[in-house]
Amino acid sequence: MTTATNVFDPVAFKQTTRRQWDEAADAWNRWTPLLDKWLGPSTELMLDKMELTQGSRVLDIAAGAGSQTLNAAKRVGPSGHVLATDLSPGILKYAKTNADMAGITHVETQVFDGEDVGGIEAEPFDGVMSRVGLIYFPDQHKALTGMRAQLRPGGRIGAITYAEADRNGFFSVPVGIIRRRAALPAPLPGQPGPFSLGDPDVLAGRLSEAGFTDIEIERVEAPVRLGSAQECLQFERESFGALHQMLARLTAREQDDAWDEIEDALRAFEKDGRFEGPCEMLVATGTKAA
């Protein structure tokens, strides 16, 4: 196998990301009950610190199937408004469908590249948020300055990212196995990926460079609890586009072998008939100065 060179093409990366999220959309939506349990505490903390109230206007970046979109919509009430955006039209359609099924009429959806949200034509927002989305943007500074541009003076940003890789074994173990099998080089500084903003200092620095003030970052324990390692493998195999992007250079047989090794490794997190994968999230907030 030829060792991959670390040449990053942001255009190709976005095209692949859009296609893979379109393909994974149905599965990601079906896993919503797990997402609500797993990411619920960090989501609620983010919304608390964004200081959303009845009537607030909220912009959700990389909204996916809209679980956190609905949480925000319930906070702001019918007098508020939530605009959910995503690069993938395939997954974003679920955000609108889920809002309609919940009887929530003040959610709007719009297909938009997260790096270009500064160009959205709308009244200023009171809050802008991105849950586990910012980490995958090739130009995080452009994305953050665009988010800031959409806020009213005094408006708040909220973002959730994975903490350091060694605190997220449920994800870093598969990443490490695939990186070794595919002979992938270590990611370059600033290159998008699951742990690109895992260092709180780096995350705070990105927000500061984009012009945000009053920056706060909190760690939240978020173990992934499932029935077995096999169930976690199913979740990741169906829903984690980042892993599929890393596997793309391998043959179908080599990919199957990688998944088998990942399942074996994940069994280390099984105990007393249950699976608990280590995970820690960072919840970051900041303010657009008046």
PDB file of all heavy atoms in Angstrom, residues 55-91:
ATOM      1  N   GLY A  55     -38.678  34.645  22.240  1.00  0.00           N
ATOM      2  CA  GLY A  55     -38.583  35.670  21.213  1.00  0.00           C
ATOM      3  C   GLY A  55     -37.218  35.804  20.571  1.00  0.00           C
ATOM      4  O   GLY A  55     -37.052  36.564  19.608  1.00  0.00           O
ATOM      5  N   SER A  56     -36.206  35.077  21.061  1.00  0.00           N
ATOM      6  CA  SER A  56     -34.865  35.169  20.487  1.00  0.00           C
ATOM      7  C   SER A  56     -34.830  34.598  19.073  1.00  0.00           C
ATOM      8  O   SER A  56     -35.583  33.675  18.727  1.00  0.00           O
ATOM      9  CB  SER A  56     -33.845  34.410  21.350  1.00  0.00           C
ATOM     10  OG  SER A  56     -33.654  35.024  22.598  1.00  0.00           O
ATOM     11  N   ARG A  57     -33.927  35.159  18.274  1.00  0.00           N
ATOM     12  CA  ARG A  57     -33.667  34.664  16.929  1.00  0.00           C
ATOM     13  C   ARG A  57     -32.341  33.905  16.952  1.00  0.00           C
ATOM     14  O   ARG A  57     -31.334  34.426  17.434  1.00  0.00           O
ATOM     15  CB  ARG A  57     -33.592  35.823  15.925  1.00  0.00           C
ATOM     16  CG  ARG A  57     -34.926  36.501  15.661  1.00  0.00           C
ATOM     17  CD  ARG A  57     -34.760  37.739  14.773  1.00  0.00           C
ATOM     18  NE  ARG A  57     -33.936  37.477  13.602  1.00  0.00           N
ATOM     19  CZ  ARG A  57     -34.349  36.866  12.495  1.00  0.00           C
ATOM     20  NH1 ARG A  57     -35.629  36.465  12.412  1.00  0.00           N
ATOM     21  NH2 ARG A  57     -33.546  36.664  11.468  1.00  0.00           N
ATOM     22  N   VAL A  58     -32.347  32.674  16.407  1.00  0.00           N
ATOM     23  CA  VAL A  58     -31.179  31.792  16.507  1.00  0.00           C
ATOM     24  C   VAL A  58     -30.804  31.255  15.127  1.00  0.00           C
ATOM     25  O   VAL A  58     -31.676  30.851  14.350  1.00  0.00           O
ATOM     26  CB  VAL A  58     -31.450  30.611  17.457  1.00  0.00           C
ATOM     27  CG1 VAL A  58     -30.209  29.735  17.599  1.00  0.00           C
ATOM     28  CG2 VAL A  58     -31.904  31.109  18.825  1.00  0.00           C
ATOM     29  N   LEU A  59     -29.506  31.234  14.860  1.00  0.00           N
ATOM     30  CA  LEU A  59     -28.965  30.644  13.639  1.00  0.00           C
ATOM     31  C   LEU A  59     -28.193  29.387  14.025  1.00  0.00           C
ATOM     32  O   LEU A  59     -27.276  29.441  14.847  1.00  0.00           O
ATOM     33  CB  LEU A  59     -28.042  31.644  12.939  1.00  0.00           C
ATOM     34  CG  LEU A  59     -27.289  31.165  11.694  1.00  0.00           C
ATOM     35  CD1 LEU A  59     -28.260  30.731  10.602  1.00  0.00           C
ATOM     36  CD2 LEU A  59     -26.355  32.258  11.187  1.00  0.00           C
ATOM     37  N   ASP A  60     -28.573  28.253  13.439  1.00  0.00           N
ATOM     38  CA  ASP A  60     -27.939  26.971  13.731  1.00  0.00           C
ATOM     39  C   ASP A  60     -27.111  26.551  12.520  1.00  0.00           C
ATOM     40  O   ASP A  60     -27.650  26.345  11.428  1.00  0.00           O
ATOM     41  CB  ASP A  60     -29.010  25.920  14.047  1.00  0.00           C
ATOM     42  CG  ASP A  60     -28.425  24.614  14.559  1.00  0.00           C
ATOM     43  OD1 ASP A  60     -27.191  24.524  14.696  1.00  0.00           O
ATOM     44  OD2 ASP A  60     -29.210  23.679  14.821  1.00  0.00           O
ATOM     45  N   ILE A  61     -25.798  26.420  12.707  1.00  0.00           N
ATOM     46  CA  ILE A  61     -24.872  26.088  11.630  1.00  0.00           C
ATOM     47  C   ILE A  61     -24.516  24.607  11.688  1.00  0.00           C
ATOM     48  O   ILE A  61     -24.195  24.080  12.741  1.00  0.00           O
ATOM     49  CB  ILE A  61     -23.580  26.927  11.738  1.00  0.00           C
ATOM     50  CG1 ILE A  61     -23.905  28.413  11.880  1.00  0.00           C
ATOM     51  CG2 ILE A  61     -22.683  26.677  10.532  1.00  0.00           C
ATOM     52  CD1 ILE A  61     -24.659  29.002  10.726  1.00  0.00           C
ATOM     53  N   ALA A  62     -24.532  23.938  10.511  1.00  0.00           N
ATOM     54  CA  ALA A  62     -24.301  22.495  10.440  1.00  0.00           C
ATOM     55  C   ALA A  62     -25.319  21.784  11.329  1.00  0.00           C
ATOM     56  O   ALA A  62     -24.971  20.975  12.194  1.00  0.00           O
ATOM     57  CB  ALA A  62     -22.865  22.130  10.830  1.00  0.00           C
ATOM     58  N   ALA A  63     -26.575  22.082  11.090  1.00  0.00           N
ATOM     59  CA  ALA A  63     -27.664  21.638  11.960  1.00  0.00           C
ATOM     60  C   ALA A  63     -27.954  20.154  11.859  1.00  0.00           C
ATOM     61  O   ALA A  63     -28.552  19.574  12.770  1.00  0.00           O
ATOM     62  CB  ALA A  63     -28.936  22.431  11.643  1.00  0.00           C
ATOM     63  N   GLY A  64     -27.573  19.515  10.759  1.00  0.00           N
ATOM     64  CA  GLY A  64     -27.861  18.100  10.608  1.00  0.00           C
ATOM     65  C   GLY A  64     -29.347  17.826  10.615  1.00  0.00           C
ATOM     66  O   GLY A  64     -30.143  18.546   9.998  1.00  0.00           O
ATOM     67  N   ALA A  65     -29.750  16.792  11.359  1.00  0.00           N
ATOM     68  CA  ALA A  65     -31.166  16.423  11.434  1.00  0.00           C
ATOM     69  C   ALA A  65     -31.951  17.274  12.429  1.00  0.00           C
ATOM     70  O   ALA A  65     -33.145  17.078  12.610  1.00  0.00           O
ATOM     71  CB  ALA A  65     -31.304  14.945  11.796  1.00  0.00           C
ATOM     72  N   GLY A  66     -31.261  18.199  13.087  1.00  0.00           N
ATOM     73  CA  GLY A  66     -31.967  19.231  13.842  1.00  0.00           C
ATOM     74  C   GLY A  66     -32.351  18.935  15.267  1.00  0.00           C
ATOM     75  O   GLY A  66     -33.217  19.616  15.821  1.00  0.00           O
ATOM     76  N   SER A  67     -31.702  17.969  15.913  1.00  0.00           N
ATOM     77  CA  SER A  67     -32.031  17.697  17.311  1.00  0.00           C
ATOM     78  C   SER A  67     -31.847  18.937  18.174  1.00  0.00           C
ATOM     79  O   SER A  67     -32.741  19.340  18.942  1.00  0.00           O
ATOM     80  CB  SER A  67     -31.158  16.550  17.835  1.00  0.00           C
ATOM     81  OG  SER A  67     -31.345  16.354  19.219  1.00  0.00           O
ATOM     82  N   GLN A  68     -30.671  19.584  18.077  1.00  0.00           N
ATOM     83  CA  GLN A  68     -30.402  20.785  18.857  1.00  0.00           C
ATOM     84  C   GLN A  68     -31.217  21.979  18.338  1.00  0.00           C
ATOM     85  O   GLN A  68     -31.521  22.901  19.095  1.00  0.00           O
ATOM     86  CB  GLN A  68     -28.908  21.121  18.862  1.00  0.00           C
ATOM     87  CG  GLN A  68     -28.354  21.654  17.548  1.00  0.00           C
ATOM     88  CD  GLN A  68     -28.284  20.610  16.453  1.00  0.00           C
ATOM     89  OE1 GLN A  68     -28.224  19.417  16.727  1.00  0.00           O
ATOM     90  NE2 GLN A  68     -28.312  21.047  15.204  1.00  0.00           N
ATOM     91  N   THR A  69     -31.591  21.944  17.061  1.00  0.00           N
ATOM     92  CA  THR A  69     -32.448  22.987  16.498  1.00  0.00           C
ATOM     93  C   THR A  69     -33.772  23.033  17.247  1.00  0.00           C
ATOM     94  O   THR A  69     -34.265  24.108  17.612  1.00  0.00           O
ATOM     95  CB  THR A  69     -32.728  22.715  15.004  1.00  0.00           C
ATOM     96  OG1 THR A  69     -31.491  22.564  14.312  1.00  0.00           O
ATOM     97  CG2 THR A  69     -33.522  23.846  14.383  1.00  0.00           C
ATOM     98  N   LEU A  70     -34.354  21.867  17.478  1.00  0.00           N
ATOM     99  CA  LEU A  70     -35.639  21.790  18.172  1.00  0.00           C
ATOM    100  C   LEU A  70     -35.491  22.225  19.627  1.00  0.00           C
ATOM    101  O   LEU A  70     -36.395  22.871  20.186  1.00  0.00           O
ATOM    102  CB  LEU A  70     -36.211  20.376  18.096  1.00  0.00           C
ATOM    103  CG  LEU A  70     -36.494  19.827  16.694  1.00  0.00           C
ATOM    104  CD1 LEU A  70     -37.329  18.557  16.779  1.00  0.00           C
ATOM    105  CD2 LEU A  70     -37.199  20.854  15.818  1.00  0.00           C
ATOM    106  N   ASN A  71     -34.356  21.882  20.247  1.00  0.00           N
ATOM    107  CA  ASN A  71     -34.131  22.330  21.624  1.00  0.00           C
ATOM    108  C   ASN A  71     -34.115  23.853  21.701  1.00  0.00           C
ATOM    109  O   ASN A  71     -34.692  24.459  22.606  1.00  0.00           O
ATOM    110  CB  ASN A  71     -32.815  21.775  22.155  1.00  0.00           C
ATOM    111  CG  ASN A  71     -32.860  20.284  22.415  1.00  0.00           C
ATOM    112  OD1 ASN A  71     -33.928  19.702  22.510  1.00  0.00           O
ATOM    113  ND2 ASN A  71     -31.704  19.656  22.511  1.00  0.00           N
ATOM    114  N   ALA A  72     -33.437  24.476  20.743  1.00  0.00           N
ATOM    115  CA  ALA A  72     -33.396  25.934  20.707  1.00  0.00           C
ATOM    116  C   ALA A  72     -34.772  26.514  20.419  1.00  0.00           C
ATOM    117  O   ALA A  72     -35.176  27.516  21.029  1.00  0.00           O
ATOM    118  CB  ALA A  72     -32.398  26.400  19.648  1.00  0.00           C
ATOM    119  N   ALA A  73     -35.508  25.878  19.519  1.00  0.00           N
ATOM    120  CA  ALA A  73     -36.837  26.371  19.160  1.00  0.00           C
ATOM    121  C   ALA A  73     -37.791  26.349  20.357  1.00  0.00           C
ATOM    122  O   ALA A  73     -38.618  27.245  20.518  1.00  0.00           O
ATOM    123  CB  ALA A  73     -37.414  25.541  18.010  1.00  0.00           C
ATOM    124  N   LYS A  74     -37.660  25.332  21.185  1.00  0.00           N
ATOM    125  CA  LYS A  74     -38.509  25.258  22.379  1.00  0.00           C
ATOM    126  C   LYS A  74     -38.148  26.368  23.363  1.00  0.00           C
ATOM    127  O   LYS A  74     -39.016  26.883  24.062  1.00  0.00           O
ATOM    128  CB  LYS A  74     -38.356  23.885  23.028  1.00  0.00           C
ATOM    129  CG  LYS A  74     -38.934  22.749  22.182  1.00  0.00           C
ATOM    130  CD  LYS A  74     -38.583  21.380  22.748  1.00  0.00           C
ATOM    131  CE  LYS A  74     -39.089  20.262  21.830  1.00  0.00           C
ATOM    132  NZ  LYS A  74     -38.670  18.916  22.311  1.00  0.00           N
ATOM    133  N   ARG A  75     -36.871  26.728  23.397  1.00  0.00           N
ATOM    134  CA  ARG A  75     -36.435  27.797  24.307  1.00  0.00           C
ATOM    135  C   ARG A  75     -36.996  29.150  23.883  1.00  0.00           C
ATOM    136  O   ARG A  75     -37.402  29.950  24.725  1.00  0.00           O
ATOM    137  CB  ARG A  75     -34.914  27.868  24.319  1.00  0.00           C
ATOM    138  CG  ARG A  75     -34.230  26.656  24.910  1.00  0.00           C
ATOM    139  CD  ARG A  75     -33.505  27.039  26.151  1.00  0.00           C
ATOM    140  NE  ARG A  75     -32.812  25.896  26.736  1.00  0.00           N
ATOM    141  CZ  ARG A  75     -31.894  26.010  27.669  1.00  0.00           C
ATOM    142  NH1 ARG A  75     -31.531  27.208  28.103  1.00  0.00           N
ATOM    143  NH2 ARG A  75     -31.316  24.945  28.187  1.00  0.00           N
ATOM    144  N   VAL A  76     -36.947  29.429  22.584  1.00  0.00           N
ATOM    145  CA  VAL A  76     -37.331  30.763  22.120  1.00  0.00           C
ATOM    146  C   VAL A  76     -38.834  30.906  21.921  1.00  0.00           C
ATOM    147  O   VAL A  76     -39.341  32.023  21.823  1.00  0.00           O
ATOM    148  CB  VAL A  76     -36.579  31.131  20.824  1.00  0.00           C
ATOM    149  CG1 VAL A  76     -35.080  30.998  21.028  1.00  0.00           C
ATOM    150  CG2 VAL A  76     -37.033  30.285  19.641  1.00  0.00           C
ATOM    151  N   GLY A  77     -39.552  29.780  21.851  1.00  0.00           N
ATOM    152  CA  GLY A  77     -40.999  29.827  21.760  1.00  0.00           C
ATOM    153  C   GLY A  77     -41.511  30.318  20.414  1.00  0.00           C
ATOM    154  O   GLY A  77     -40.730  30.729  19.543  1.00  0.00           O
ATOM    155  N   PRO A  78     -42.827  30.300  20.224  1.00  0.00           N
ATOM    156  CA  PRO A  78     -43.431  30.690  18.952  1.00  0.00           C
ATOM    157  C   PRO A  78     -43.129  32.125  18.536  1.00  0.00           C
ATOM    158  O   PRO A  78     -43.185  32.454  17.347  1.00  0.00           O
ATOM    159  CB  PRO A  78     -44.931  30.498  19.200  1.00  0.00           C
ATOM    160  CG  PRO A  78     -45.015  29.522  20.326  1.00  0.00           C
ATOM    161  CD  PRO A  78     -43.825  29.819  21.189  1.00  0.00           C
ATOM    162  N   SER A  79     -42.803  32.973  19.498  1.00  0.00           N
ATOM    163  CA  SER A  79     -42.471  34.353  19.144  1.00  0.00           C
ATOM    164  C   SER A  79     -41.028  34.498  18.662  1.00  0.00           C
ATOM    165  O   SER A  79     -40.627  35.565  18.190  1.00  0.00           O
ATOM    166  CB  SER A  79     -42.688  35.279  20.348  1.00  0.00           C
ATOM    167  OG  SER A  79     -41.869  34.908  21.438  1.00  0.00           O
ATOM    168  N   GLY A  80     -40.248  33.423  18.779  1.00  0.00           N
ATOM    169  CA  GLY A  80     -38.862  33.427  18.321  1.00  0.00           C
ATOM    170  C   GLY A  80     -38.745  32.801  16.944  1.00  0.00           C
ATOM    171  O   GLY A  80     -39.743  32.489  16.281  1.00  0.00           O
ATOM    172  N   HIS A  81     -37.504  32.621  16.519  1.00  0.00           N
ATOM    173  CA  HIS A  81     -37.260  32.071  15.187  1.00  0.00           C
ATOM    174  C   HIS A  81     -35.922  31.351  15.188  1.00  0.00           C
ATOM    175  O   HIS A  81     -34.944  31.836  15.778  1.00  0.00           O
ATOM    176  CB  HIS A  81     -37.236  33.196  14.148  1.00  0.00           C
ATOM    177  CG  HIS A  81     -36.958  32.716  12.748  1.00  0.00           C
ATOM    178  ND1 HIS A  81     -37.894  32.054  11.989  1.00  0.00           N
ATOM    179  CD2 HIS A  81     -35.839  32.801  11.968  1.00  0.00           C
ATOM    180  CE1 HIS A  81     -37.376  31.755  10.803  1.00  0.00           C
ATOM    181  NE2 HIS A  81     -36.126  32.195  10.768  1.00  0.00           N
ATOM    182  N   VAL A  82     -35.872  30.177  14.532  1.00  0.00           N
ATOM    183  CA  VAL A  82     -34.625  29.433  14.381  1.00  0.00           C
ATOM    184  C   VAL A  82     -34.416  29.116  12.903  1.00  0.00           C
ATOM    185  O   VAL A  82     -35.291  28.514  12.267  1.00  0.00           O
ATOM    186  CB  VAL A  82     -34.626  28.119  15.192  1.00  0.00           C
ATOM    187  CG1 VAL A  82     -33.282  27.403  15.036  1.00  0.00           C
ATOM    188  CG2 VAL A  82     -34.910  28.391  16.669  1.00  0.00           C
ATOM    189  N   LEU A  83     -33.272  29.531  12.374  1.00  0.00           N
ATOM    190  CA  LEU A  83     -32.888  29.193  11.008  1.00  0.00           C
ATOM    191  C   LEU A  83     -31.813  28.123  11.079  1.00  0.00           C
ATOM    192  O   LEU A  83     -30.720  28.359  11.604  1.00  0.00           O
ATOM    193  CB  LEU A  83     -32.365  30.426  10.269  1.00  0.00           C
ATOM    194  CG  LEU A  83     -31.768  30.172   8.877  1.00  0.00           C
ATOM    195  CD1 LEU A  83     -32.806  29.528   7.947  1.00  0.00           C
ATOM    196  CD2 LEU A  83     -31.230  31.463   8.271  1.00  0.00           C
ATOM    197  N   ALA A  84     -32.118  26.929  10.570  1.00  0.00           N
ATOM    198  CA  ALA A  84     -31.180  25.813  10.573  1.00  0.00           C
ATOM    199  C   ALA A  84     -30.548  25.683   9.198  1.00  0.00           C
ATOM    200  O   ALA A  84     -31.260  25.614   8.188  1.00  0.00           O
ATOM    201  CB  ALA A  84     -31.893  24.515  10.946  1.00  0.00           C
ATOM    202  N   THR A  85     -29.220  25.646   9.155  1.00  0.00           N
ATOM    203  CA  THR A  85     -28.508  25.524   7.885  1.00  0.00           C
ATOM    204  C   THR A  85     -27.579  24.322   7.909  1.00  0.00           C
ATOM    205  O   THR A  85     -27.118  23.899   8.972  1.00  0.00           O
ATOM    206  CB  THR A  85     -27.670  26.782   7.579  1.00  0.00           C
ATOM    207  OG1 THR A  85     -26.584  26.863   8.511  1.00  0.00           O
ATOM    208  CG2 THR A  85     -28.517  28.039   7.688  1.00  0.00           C
ATOM    209  N   ASP A  86     -27.304  23.786   6.729  1.00  0.00           N
ATOM    210  CA  ASP A  86     -26.359  22.679   6.612  1.00  0.00           C
ATOM    211  C   ASP A  86     -25.886  22.588   5.172  1.00  0.00           C
ATOM    212  O   ASP A  86     -26.599  22.991   4.242  1.00  0.00           O
ATOM    213  CB  ASP A  86     -27.001  21.356   7.029  1.00  0.00           C
ATOM    214  CG  ASP A  86     -25.966  20.296   7.395  1.00  0.00           C
ATOM    215  OD1 ASP A  86     -25.385  19.693   6.473  1.00  0.00           O
ATOM    216  OD2 ASP A  86     -25.724  20.095   8.598  1.00  0.00           O
ATOM    217  N   LEU A  87     -24.694  22.062   4.997  1.00  0.00           N
ATOM    218  CA  LEU A  87     -24.125  21.853   3.671  1.00  0.00           C
ATOM    219  C   LEU A  87     -24.864  20.756   2.915  1.00  0.00           C
ATOM    220  O   LEU A  87     -24.926  20.769   1.684  1.00  0.00           O
ATOM    221  CB  LEU A  87     -22.647  21.477   3.819  1.00  0.00           C
ATOM    222  CG  LEU A  87     -21.816  21.252   2.565  1.00  0.00           C
ATOM    223  CD1 LEU A  87     -21.601  22.568   1.828  1.00  0.00           C
ATOM    224  CD2 LEU A  87     -20.457  20.639   2.935  1.00  0.00           C
ATOM    225  N   SER A  88     -25.424  19.801   3.659  1.00  0.00           N
ATOM    226  CA  SER A  88     -26.072  18.633   3.068  1.00  0.00           C
ATOM    227  C   SER A  88     -27.590  18.795   3.004  1.00  0.00           C
ATOM    228  O   SER A  88     -28.257  18.818   4.035  1.00  0.00           O
ATOM    229  CB  SER A  88     -25.739  17.378   3.893  1.00  0.00           C
ATOM    230  OG  SER A  88     -26.649  16.333   3.633  1.00  0.00           O
ATOM    231  N   PRO A  89     -28.149  18.895   1.798  1.00  0.00           N
ATOM    232  CA  PRO A  89     -29.618  18.971   1.709  1.00  0.00           C
ATOM    233  C   PRO A  89     -30.288  17.683   2.167  1.00  0.00           C
ATOM    234  O   PRO A  89     -31.406  17.696   2.678  1.00  0.00           O
ATOM    235  CB  PRO A  89     -29.867  19.243   0.216  1.00  0.00           C
ATOM    236  CG  PRO A  89     -28.637  18.763  -0.484  1.00  0.00           C
ATOM    237  CD  PRO A  89     -27.507  18.983   0.473  1.00  0.00           C
ATOM    238  N   GLY A  90     -29.573  16.557   2.000  1.00  0.00           N
ATOM    239  CA  GLY A  90     -30.157  15.275   2.378  1.00  0.00           C
ATOM    240  C   GLY A  90     -30.437  15.155   3.856  1.00  0.00           C
ATOM    241  O   GLY A  90     -31.467  14.600   4.254  1.00  0.00           O
ATOM    242  N   ILE A  91     -29.543  15.686   4.689  1.00  0.00           N
ATOM    243  CA  ILE A  91     -29.774  15.589   6.132  1.00  0.00           C
ATOM    244  C   ILE A  91     -30.624  16.742   6.641  1.00  0.00           C
ATOM    245  O   ILE A  91     -31.402  16.596   7.588  1.00  0.00           O
ATOM    246  CB  ILE A  91     -28.440  15.502   6.905  1.00  0.00           C
ATOM    247  CG1 ILE A  91     -28.682  14.930   8.305  1.00  0.00           C
ATOM    248  CG2 ILE A  91     -27.729  16.839   6.967  1.00  0.00           C
ATOM    249  CD1 ILE A  91     -27.424  14.534   9.043  1.00  0.00           C
TER     250      ILE A  91
END
